[in-house]
Amino acid sequence: MASTENKESAGQADISVHRKRFTASSDTGRAADGTDAGKQPRASGALMSRTAAIGGVAMGAAALLCFVLAVGFSGGETPVSEETSRQVFSLREQIRLAEALPDAKDAERALVMARTSAGQVAALQNDYRYLSPRVAAADGRLGTDAMMTTRRNLIPYFGPTVGRDSLAPWYLLASDKDVPEGIGIPMGFDSGFHWSAQTPFTVNDDGTVPVTWLAVETRPAAEQTPVVLAWARADYDTTRKTFVNLETGVTAPGEELRLEVKAS
């Protein structure tokens, strides 16, 4: 099983290392599988259209370039400042990036694909919960055969750079060991936590979509807010339709409540 990095809070993690070029407007806080996403950050503003991006940048660049040309033809007595040259270069680079952006419709399509796949991954990780009684009975050992079916179903959603060990259970809750063992999820299964995919809102420069999953407790103590026990994040590659750059972690509260899993 892949090692996890403890985090005090999943919300403190910097989800994306790429510049975000598109931001979708949000009118819902629900996760991909229909569950409430909770206090996830919301994006402000609508998707930027390529025409608006290019037009706005081009107007600024044109004005500045006109100034440079005017100075250049004034007899050479007033040299162009280094700062002005940097501004011209920066605006030209922005125009180049804007021209490379996908259309807003393509960005929306990418977000839908990422959201759908993320929801299916969350459902498969939730399937792992039924292994908790078996792992507890085996002194924390999780055999490869026990998770073979679920991991086989997870593999198509991840790129080849994601190790297969990373597709083992991302988190198991100690209190779930008391659930009667059965084939698949037993009827009436009442796990103490649930994985959900957080709705993605942005598309990076490279066309990937950053996605986060949260494992949140479902039976908090009286008058207590459910806490995040574990998290995972990855980038959805819209070209290959797979997730890459997978990272997983456990929060401090989650570490206290987790079921220890040993290498088999």
Side-chain angles (χ1 to χ4, degrees), residues 24-157:
S25 60
S26 62
D27 55 3
T28 176
R30 301 188 67 80
D33 59 357
T35 59
D36 193 343
K39 297 181 180 180
Q40 64 184 43
R42 284 173 174 262
S44 59
L47 278 172
M48 182 194 303
S49 70
R50 187 170 81 169
T51 302
I54 297 174
V57 174
M59 289 177 62
L64 194 53
L65 287 172
C66 286
F67 166 76
V68 174
L69 291 175
V71 172
F73 285 105
S74 64
E77 297 177 359
T78 306
V80 177
S81 70
E82 184 176 344
E83 180 182 359
T84 299
S85 299
R86 285 197 301 268
Q87 289 177 332
V88 171
F89 176 82
S90 176
L91 287 170
R92 283 175 172 166
E93 181 65 10
Q94 291 180 47
I95 291 176
R96 185 189 66 78
L97 289 173
E99 289 175 340
L101 289 175
D103 291 334
K105 288 184 179 179
D106 292 335
E108 288 283 13
R109 189 178 302 111
L111 293 174
V112 170
M113 289 191 300
R115 182 169 64 247
T116 300
S117 294
Q120 292 167 339
V121 168
L124 288 168
Q125 279 293 329
N126 282 326
D127 284 347
Y128 273 135
R129 297 176 300 176
Y130 82 92
L131 295 176
S132 298
R134 185 181 306 181
V135 173
D139 193 28
R141 288 180 172 79
L142 175 62
T144 303
D145 292 344
M147 60 179 177
M148 181 180 299
T149 300
T150 301
R151 186 165 65 176
R152 184 171 59 242
N153 291 333
L154 278 167
I155 288 175
Y157 291 101

Side-chain angles (χ1 to χ4, degrees), residues 12 14 34 48 89 91 107 153 158-159 187 218 230-231 247:
Q12 295 176 351
D14 181 9
M48 182 194 303
F89 176 82
L91 287 170
N153 291 333
F158 292 87
M187 290 186 62
T218 56
W231 56 269
E247 297 179 63

Side-chain angles (χ1 to χ4, degrees), residues 127-207:
D127 284 347
Y128 273 135
R129 297 176 300 176
Y130 82 92
L131 295 176
S132 298
R134 185 181 306 181
V135 173
D139 193 28
R141 288 180 172 79
L142 175 62
T144 303
D145 292 344
M147 60 179 177
M148 181 180 299
T149 300
T150 301
R151 186 165 65 176
R152 184 171 59 242
N153 291 333
L154 278 167
I155 288 175
Y157 291 101
F158 292 87
T161 58
V162 177
R164 296 301 174 250
D165 288 344
S166 299
L167 304 184
W170 293 338
Y171 186 81
L172 292 179
L173 186 66
S175 61
D176 282 351
K177 66 182 176 58
D178 298 324
V179 175
E181 184 177 355
I183 299 176
I185 300 295
M187 290 186 62
F189 180 85
D190 186 19
S191 175
F193 81 101
H194 182 265
W195 280 103
S196 63
Q198 307 305 286
T199 304
F201 292 112
T202 57
V203 180
N204 294 320
D205 279 347
D206 60 358

